[in-house]
Amino acid sequence: MPKCCVVGAGRVGLVAAACFAEAGYATICIDSNQEKLLTLQDGLLPFYEPGLQELIRRNLNCGKLQVNSCLSEAVRTSDIIFLAVGTPVNQQGEADLSDLNHVVDELVQIGRELQDKRIIVNKSTVPVGTGDNLSRRLGKANGCYHYVSNPEFLREGSSIRDFTVPDRVVIGTDSNRTYEDLANLYKTFLPETTPFLKCSLEEAELIKQVANAFLGIRISFINEIANLCEQVGADVRKVVQGIGLDRRIGTSYLKPGPGFGGSCLPKDMRSILATSRLKRVDLSLIEAATRANELQRQLVVKKIKSVANDSQLQKTIGILGLAYKPETDDLREAPALDIIRLLIREGFKVKAYDPVCNPEAQKLFPGVSFASDPYDLAKDCDLLVLVTEWKEFGELDFLRIRKIMRSPQVLDCRNILDGDRLCQIGFTYFGAGISSTCVEHS
Ligand code: UGA
């Protein structure tokens, strides 16, 4: 059985390491951050991901999984080395590959003393062309390394399921032998029906970014249509149902909201746009979807202003949900952060609540008051704005909330609440892409 090494104990690396160990492979996860390693050795996680803590604890306890910082020892004792280090992208779309480059430099050093073959599998998202460069550099180490691009398609909040029941496995390499070795590792624990795709390094790198860009385009598309629905007396949910019944279209990634966030969709779209500028290829659709996504947050604030603005009184807005989506503690590029910033700039008093992100968000907004639960949030608010669709928000007691709000008004940016019922019990309800018919009932 091949031994695995995963470099990088982040959201992708830890999931991969835990799942390989769970599948029975002896796995070492390497990270240079000692604090993170101590947290893991104590059986805790440096971030929130459902189910991962138990998986890591179990495999650390039975010895299938180890975590430490010694790359050279891990490379010597492993057959397949997965790279899952951070590759952040700046506002211009330029990727910071310094961590990846550092690991590759170390691998070249270590490789000079290796006698036999190792497969280096890159899971970090990189601009197209990076793999070719890394592969050539790794080639300087006695020819012992075979570099493969094997992008990950995990969604935060459902990473373990996405890793163990993936829609597909993409393997970029020109070597049949290396492809077989890696595919065979996966085939021992993935469902038999999992499609495998062999392609070039460039194609694998593009597939990762193009998939995210396409999802971003779908979301921006439906957000714009939702904005139109509000103006023409339509309900976007019906429109999505109607177009989704066309099997060529379907309904996934067509839920309107305050715009997509997280570290992946926005980042990959900026990165592919940077490549397009470099190669002088027009990617105007991706550009437009990115711009529409920025505008969508501003439109939420415009709506809030039209509902709650009153020059005589300073209105209090309660933000329900801060994470960029439920089941994660990730605040990167979260729409709620932009919305709060803009509201403060407009002179509103802002309160906020998130089931897991309060402590991190507090550091970003010292002037915002953070509530201990949704009812504490609703106290004295003029408008509640549901930004993240945490399941528990769909189960709130709105009769209780109506009594403690200053004025019973809700803006549901994710359409998870029952607007009709809220109107019946005295709320003014606004959805996303739902025209104002409900409001007229109140
Ligand atoms: C995304 C991709 O879905 C994964 O396949 C990919 O592996 C990952 O990026 C990555 O590159 O690592 P993730 O960022 O975890 O995963 O989140 P998604 O579930 O895709 O949601 C992204 C954003 O789109 C969220 O802010 C979400 O609220 C928003 N969204 C999603 C909508 O506004 N409407 C939708 O219909 C779907």
Side-chain angles (χ1 to χ4, degrees), residues 169-186:
V169 175
V170 173
I171 298 179
T173 174
D174 54 13
S175 153
N176 287 334
R177 175 77 200 279
T178 308
Y179 168 80
E180 290 298 335
D181 286 347
L182 184 58
N184 286 338
L185 175 100
Y186 282 118

Side-chain angles (χ1 to χ4, degrees), residues 36-310:
K36 205 187 254 185
L37 293 177
L38 288 175
T39 306
L40 290 167
Q41 276 152 0
D42 283 346
L44 299 171
L45 269 190
F47 51 83
Y48 176 76
E49 178 65 38
L52 185 58
Q53 186 160 304
E54 300 77 63
L55 208 59
I56 289 186
R57 266 190 203 161
R58 188 164 63 238
N59 285 287
L60 282 173
N61 287 343
C62 74
K64 274 282 168 211
L65 177 66
Q66 289 176 44
V67 290
N68 67 53
S69 59
C70 185
L71 181 64
S72 55
E73 182 56 24
V75 172
R76 266 180 223 114
T77 56
S78 302
D79 304 287
I80 308 189
I81 295 123
F82 295 86
L83 310 182
V85 297
T87 49
V89 162
N90 67 16
Q91 280 306 315
Q92 287 68 47
E94 295 151 350
D96 175 357
L97 301 178
S98 49
D99 284 353
L100 194 56
N101 283 329
H102 180 73
V103 174
V104 167
D105 287 343
E106 275 194 71
L107 286 173
V108 172
Q109 288 297 326
I110 299 163
R112 295 203 166 110
E113 283 150 36
L114 294 175
Q115 304 305 323
D116 39 25
K117 177 187 155 182
R118 303 284 187 284
I119 304 179
I120 307 291
V121 184
N122 186 28
K123 287 198 164 293
S124 306
T125 303
V126 291
V128 59
T130 306
D132 186 46
N133 174 284
L134 298 181
S135 169
R136 265 188 275 121
R137 278 163 56 199
L138 287 164
K140 290 180 192 152
N142 291 345
C144 65
Y145 292 134
H146 293 249
Y147 178 90
V148 177
S149 171
N150 170 221
E152 240 351 297
F153 302 97
L154 309 179
R155 284 163 302 172
E156 289 183 21
S158 56
S159 293
I160 294 170
R161 195 190 144 75
D162 289 348
F163 194 87
T164 51
V165 191
D167 286 347
R168 76 300 208 185
V169 175
V170 173
I171 298 179
T173 174
D174 54 13
S175 153
N176 287 334
R177 175 77 200 279
T178 308
Y179 168 80
E180 290 298 335
D181 286 347
L182 184 58
N184 286 338
L185 175 100
Y186 282 118
K187 282 179 183 168
T188 59
F189 65 96
L190 297 186
E192 257 176 54
T193 49
T194 308
F196 279 72
L197 178 71
K198 180 178 179 294
C199 58
S200 70
L201 285 180
E202 289 78 8
E203 285 155 355
E205 290 166 343
L206 267 183
I207 287 167
K208 167 71 198 200
Q209 293 193 324
V210 171
N212 276 352
F214 187 66
L215 296 175
I217 287 175
R218 277 178 80 101
I219 298 167
S220 278
F221 174 78
I222 208 59
N223 282 340
E224 290 195 329
I225 299 301
N227 300 336
L228 180 66
C229 285
E230 287 174 13
Q231 302 307 319
V232 299
D235 184 332
V236 72
R237 294 169 297 185
K238 270 278 151 62
V239 174
V240 169
Q241 202 183 349
I243 62 170
L245 286 168
D246 184 328
R247 271 171 293 187
R248 294 169 303 175
I249 299 174
T251 55
S252 67
Y253 281 77
L254 289 180
K255 285 201 202 85
F260 54 82
S263 71
C264 305
L265 265 51
K267 155 186 173 236
D268 286 355
M269 290 167 86
R270 285 201 297 273
S271 173
I272 201 166
L273 282 174
T275 307
S276 80
R277 283 192 297 273
L278 217 62
K279 301 291 176 189
R280 296 182 192 282
V281 175
D282 190 13
L283 294 184
S284 58
L285 269 183
I286 299 180
E287 213 166 273
T290 305
R291 222 180 13 257
N293 192 47
E294 285 155 17
L295 205 63
Q296 195 64 15
R297 292 134 151 88
Q298 295 168 26
L299 288 177
V300 172
V301 174
K302 201 170 154 199
K303 258 194 205 173
I304 295 173
K305 275 172 70 183
S306 74
V307 178
N309 224 0
D310 183 332

